[in-house]
Amino acid sequence: MKAIRKFTVRAVLPEALAALEELAGNLRWSWHEPTRQLFEHIAPELWREIGTDPVALLGAVDPGRLEDLAADVDYVARVDAIRGDLRDYLEKPRWYQGLKGEKPAAIAYFSPEFGIAAALPQYSGGLGILAGDHLKSASDLGVPLIGVGLFYRAGYFSQAISPDGWQMESYPLLDPDGLPLSVLRRADGTAVQVSLALPDDRTLHARVWQAQVGRIRLLLLDTDIPQNPDDLRLVTDRLYGGGGEHRLLQELLLGIGGARAVKIWSTLSGHPEPEVFHTNEGHAGFLGLERISSLIGEGLTFQEALQVARAGTVFTTHTPVAAGIDRFERPLVRRYFETDLLPGVAVDDLLALGAENYEGGSPEVFNMAIMGLRLGQHANGVSALHGEVSRRMFSGLWPGFDAAEVPIGSITNGVHAPSWTDPALMALAQNRLGSSDTSTADWRSPEVSDQDLWSVRGQMRLQFVEDARRRLTNAWRDQNPGGLPPAWISRVFDPNVLTIGFARRVPTYKRLTLMLHDPERLRALLLDPDRPIQIVIAGKSHPADEEGKRLIQKIVQFAADPALRTRIAFLPDYNIAMAQLMYPGTDVWLNNPLRPLEACGTSGMKAALNGALNLSILDGWWPEYYDGKNGWAIPSADAAGDAGERDRIEAEALYDLIEHQVAPTFYDRNADDVPERWVGNIRHTLATLSPELSADRMVRQYVDRLYRPAGHYERLMSTNNYRAARELAAWKGKVVSKWPAVAVTHVESGGVSVVPQVGDELHLRAHVQLNGLLPTDVTVEVVYGKSYGGDELRDTQSQALVPSSPLDLADMVEAASGGSPTLFTGTVELDRSGAFGYTVRVVPRNALLISPAEMGLVAIAT
C-alpha cells in the first residue's frame, strides 16, 4: 500500500544534546568530517542506510539511544566542542576579511541547480556540483556570497535500469520539512513570498526556503504553495523538466523572483544588498532585467540603468556548443513581458538584449546566453580551452575583432577538496603530515612512505567495491521483489584489480560507449590473465534524450555477459553519495569526449584529489594540467575524415594506452608488492594537482579577477546619483550614432629600409574621419603581427597612435564638427624577423570600458 503523502517527524532531543539540532541545520556537516563522525556515532548502520543525512537520522533514531548518549559525558563534550568549532567558523575572520582595498560587501550567486549534499538533491550534474562547491569554498574563505536557486519538489529524477538495460525515471517527492531547510519569515512570523505578474492577469507566487551552507545563505524559491493554482504549483516540480514555456517560467522565477528574494532577505537580515551579481549560466539571466527595472524606478532611463546593471554583473558560460543554450521563441517572451512583470522596461529593449542579430543568428529566437553576455560586463568560460571556444562561439557579438580579443576570459573550475577527498586520505595527511588539508599537504615528504600511500589506496578501492556490490544487490532486488540475489553479484569487482571509473551525465558527445568500439579488444583487457582491468560506469541521461539512453543500454547489455559481469558494471542512480566512494575507489579516471565539447569536466579533478590518475582526451581542464606524470593523454584525431573514423582512431589509442602503459605500470610491483612507478605518479598527482584543482583556488580567482573589478565598476556607476552611468549612457549613444561614418581614410608609412631589417622603425601616419567624435573618444592604433599567406595576422600586438600635434579645446571642437580628417602618427620598431603585416583601426575609448572590443565597434583601414 502506498502513502499519498510523506513527511518527517523530528525527534525531540534531550537538552544535553540540543546542539545536535544546530549542527544538523548547517550543511557544513556535508564536508566537515568531525561533524559527520559525530552523527555516525549515534547509529552507524542507520547512518549509512539513510544516506548520511543528519536530519533524517535524528528523525529515525530510537529516542532511547539519544537518552543513552545524553548520559555519555564524553559524547556530550564532543557535541559541545564541535558546536563551538562551528560558531568560531561562522564568526571569525577568514581569508576574504583580510583582503586590503576595495571589495564587495555582498555578492549574489544565481544558479539553476546546487549540488551540496546527497540529502538535498537539487542538481543534475556538473553545473550543480560546481555551484555547490563554489558556495562551500566561498564559505571556507569567508567570501560574502548569497546563493539563489529554485527548490524542485522532485529534484532531477531517480534512475533505475530495466532488465533489457533501458533507463527508467521516477520522481519521488521531497519533503522540505525533512531537509536542512527553513522558511524565510518576516519579523511577525509570516512567510515571505515573491510574486511575478503573468499574462492573462495571473500571478505566480513563491515562498522562499533557506539553507545554511557554512557561512553562506542559500535561498531556494518554491511555487508548490496554496496561493497558486494547480498548474503554477508545478513550475518548480522538477529540474529541467517540461517544455519551453515551463522552462521560461522557471527562469523568470529564478532571475526575477530570485533578485526580489535577495532584496527582501537583505532587509530582514540586516545584511548589505549585493553589489555584484554572478549568473552561473544563462538560466538566471533575467535577474539583470529585474535590476534594470528597479533602477528605472529610481529615475534612470533604460540605457542608464543598463550601465549600472552591466557593471556589477559576472556571467559564466558553461557550454561549448550553441545547442546547449536555452533559446525561447520571441513571441513567447514578448507575451510574458507585455505585462506588469518588469515596470518601466519596454519589451523591445528587453528583446534586443537576447536577439541573435549577428551573422548566422536566428531572428526568431531569444537567446539566454547572449542576453547574459550583454547584461554582464565581466564574462568567463570554465577552463582555458573553453575560454578559447567561447570567444570563437560568441564572436558574432563583436564583429571585426579577432576571437582572441572577444572580452570573455576564463577561470578553470575547481572542486571542494574536503567534500571530495576520502576521510582515509585526510587521516593519512593528518597522521603523517600534521594537517588534514590534503590540498596544501606536502605529499613529497618522506614522512609518507610509498607503502602508506598504496595501503590507503587499497582501503579506498575495497570500500568502493563493497559499496558497488551493495548497490547492485539493491538494484537486483528492486527488479526482482522477494527474490534471492545471485551469488555472482557478491563477486563483482576485485579490490586488487586495476579499476577504471567513468561516471558523468550521458549526452552523446561524452561518448560513453567509445570503450565498446572494439568489443573483443575490450573483452581481452578485462579478462587478461596477468594484468586484468575492471570498469565501473555510472551516469544519467536526460529523460528526453533517447540516444543517451541507448548508449546506457549498450553498456548494460555488454556488461550482462556472464564472462564479463564481475569485471564491468553499470551502477544505477549516480549521485553525490555514490561519487564520494567511486572517485577514491578508482585507480584511473576515464574521460573521452569529443574535443573541444567538454567545457571543464570536474569529475576527473575529484578523482585526482584522491590520487587517481587521469586517462583523458586533452579537453576541458586536462590540457592545462596534464604533464606526463599525472596520467595519460588520449590523442585526438581531429583531422579524421568522419565521426566513425575519429572514434576508431581514438578508441584504438585508448586500448593501446591501457594495454601497454596503464596496466603494466599498475602491475609492476617491488618485493613488497608496491608498484613504485605508479605510487610515484600518485604522489606527484597529489602534490601538484591538489592545490590547483581546489575550489579555493577557483574562488580566489573569481574574487580577484571578477568580483572585485565588478564591485569597483558598480560603485563608479552608482555614486553621485548614478552620475557616471548617466554620462556613460549618453556617451555610448553619441558614439553609436556617429560610428557608421568613422573611417581610416588614408595610411602612409615610411622609415624602413628597402629590405626591412630587425631594428628598423616603421613610421605611420593615419588620417581618420571622426564624424564629429572627439579624438579623446577613440583609440587609433596600429595592429601588427606575423603574416603567413592570405591577409590574416597572427600573434598580434597593438600600439596606439597619437594626434600629430597636441590638440587644444578649439582643435577638438573643430574635429568634432565633422570636417577634415584628423592625423594620427606613431612608430613601430621591427623587433623580430619573418613575415610581417599591419593594419590601422579605430575603437571607442572610455575609462569605464574594460575592453576595446566591449561595444563591438571598430573601423579598420581598407
Side-chain angles (χ1 to χ4, degrees), residues 48 67 181 221 241 568 570 652 793 852:
R48 286 189 288 273
E67 293 294 343
L181 300 172
L221 278 65
I568 182 169
F570 183 90
E652 288 179 356
L793 296 176

Side-chain angles (χ1 to χ4, degrees), residues 292-573:
I292 287 172
S293 177
S294 296
L295 290 163
I296 289 173
E298 295 183 41
L300 300 186
T301 66
F302 178 86
Q303 289 299 328
E304 291 167 349
L306 175 60
Q307 309 315 313
V308 181
R310 273 177 47 78
T313 298
V314 173
F315 175 71
T316 298
T317 174
H318 290 262
T319 180
V321 290
I325 296 170
D326 276 344
R327 302 159 87 215
F328 298 106
E329 297 297 322
R330 286 172 65 88
L332 176 65
V333 176
R334 177 178 290 279
R335 178 170 176 264
Y336 270 86
F337 284 98
E338 285 180 334
T339 62
D340 295 328
L341 178 58
L342 290 177
V345 177
V347 176
D348 287 339
D349 287 338
L350 179 153
L351 289 172
L353 291 172
E356 294 186 359
N357 55 350
Y358 47 81
E359 186 176 353
S362 169
E364 306 301 323
V365 300
F366 183 92
N367 186 309
M368 294 296 289
I370 296 301
M371 179 179 68
L373 289 166
R374 286 176 172 147
L375 283 173
Q377 190 177 30
H378 317 268
N380 69 287
V382 291
S383 69
L385 178 58
H386 181 237
E388 295 175 16
V389 170
S390 297
R391 287 188 286 276
R392 291 196 300 269
M393 186 168 75
F394 294 111
S395 61
L397 293 179
W398 293 274
F401 290 92
D402 291 341
E405 298 177 289
V406 168
I408 301 174
S410 67
I411 292 178
T412 301
N413 285 342
V415 296
H416 187 245
S419 292
W420 298 108
T421 307
D422 194 87
L425 192 63
M426 290 193 282
L428 176 64
Q430 180 68 59
N431 295 336
R432 294 286 192 271
L433 304 174
S435 171
S436 62
D437 183 354
T438 58
S439 65
T440 59
D442 181 12
W443 290 106
R444 292 190 175 95
S445 169
E447 294 299 315
V448 177
S449 69
D450 284 0
Q451 183 64 60
D452 290 334
L453 275 174
W454 188 238
S455 176
V456 165
R457 289 289 310 151
Q459 293 173 36
M460 295 190 296
R461 197 184 308 109
L462 174 61
Q463 171 185 262
F464 160 68
V465 167
E466 291 174 342
D467 183 68
R469 290 171 178 171
R470 280 194 297 270
R471 291 179 182 277
L472 289 170
T473 297
N474 292 337
W476 191 93
R477 284 177 171 151
D478 288 342
Q479 285 186 0
N480 304 272
L484 184 65
W488 66 264
I489 292 182
S490 65
R491 301 191 303 274
V492 170
F493 299 139
D494 182 331
N496 298 308
V497 167
L498 169 61
T499 305
I500 298 175
F502 184 106
R504 50 187 51 84
R505 289 186 306 110
V506 190
T508 53
Y509 78 85
K510 292 182 183 282
R511 295 194 295 182
L512 170 66
T513 56
L514 185 68
M515 66 182 76
L516 300 184
H517 188 82
D518 185 342
E520 291 309 310
R521 185 90 185 267
L522 178 59
R523 175 186 292 267
L525 292 170
L526 292 165
L527 300 178
D528 188 291
D530 300 315
R531 295 189 297 222
I533 68 169
Q534 56 194 16
I535 305 177
V536 56
I537 304 161
K540 294 178 177 180
S541 177
H542 188 279
D545 185 359
E546 296 294 305
E547 184 55 35
K549 293 180 185 181
R550 274 189 283 273
L551 298 181
I552 292 174
Q553 185 178 44
K554 289 178 182 178
I555 285 285
V556 172
Q557 291 176 344
F558 178 83
D561 185 331
L564 302 176
R565 61 192 180 193
T566 62
R567 283 282 184 266
I568 182 169
F570 183 90
L571 303 185
D573 211 23

Side-chain angles (χ1 to χ4, degrees), residues 814-837:
E814 182 179 350
S817 68
S820 59
T822 303
L823 177 63
F824 291 79
T825 64
T827 300
V828 175
E829 181 181 354
L830 305 183
D831 59 358
R832 59 189 177 189
S833 60
F836 179 88

Side-chain angles (χ1 to χ4, degrees), residues 157-162 165-170 478-479 572-573:
F157 66 86
S158 293
Q159 179 196 53
I161 302 298
S162 71
W166 194 253
Q167 172 180 291
M168 300 182 296
E169 302 90 25
S170 61
D478 288 342
Q479 285 186 0
D573 211 23

Side-chain angles (χ1 to χ4, degrees), residues 175-311:
D175 170 26
D177 291 322
L179 299 173
L181 300 172
S182 62
V183 174
L184 179 62
R185 298 185 182 278
R186 301 185 185 277
D188 62 3
T190 57
V192 166
Q193 284 188 13
V194 294
S195 301
L196 277 65
L198 301 183
D200 304 322
D201 294 323
R202 302 216 303 165
T203 303
L204 175 67
H205 304 282
R207 73 178 141 197
V208 183
W209 294 100
Q210 50 184 344
Q212 196 68 33
V213 186
R215 298 166 68 107
I216 306 301
R217 190 65 56 98
L218 172 60
L219 307 178
L220 300 173
L221 278 65
D222 174 15
T223 62
D224 188 15
I225 56 177
Q227 289 82 353
N228 286 322
D230 289 347
D231 62 325
L232 294 183
R233 293 185 72 156
L234 297 177
V235 167
T236 55
D237 57 347
R238 61 185 68 166
L239 179 59
Y240 303 143
E245 188 165 6
H246 186 269
R247 190 76 164 261
L248 178 61
L249 277 164
Q250 288 189 339
E251 298 188 4
L252 292 171
L253 179 63
L254 174 60
I256 298 172
R260 294 174 183 176
V262 168
K263 193 164 190 174
I264 295 170
W265 177 80
S266 298
T267 300
L268 293 175
S269 65
H271 284 255
E273 288 191 29
E275 299 168 64
V276 173
F277 289 77
H278 185 172
T279 307
N280 191 39
E281 251 311 337
H283 309 287
F286 290 123
L287 75 89
L289 293 169
E290 167 65 15
R291 296 180 62 212
I292 287 172
S293 177
S294 296
L295 290 163
I296 289 173
E298 295 183 41
L300 300 186
T301 66
F302 178 86
Q303 289 299 328
E304 291 167 349
L306 175 60
Q307 309 315 313
V308 181
R310 273 177 47 78

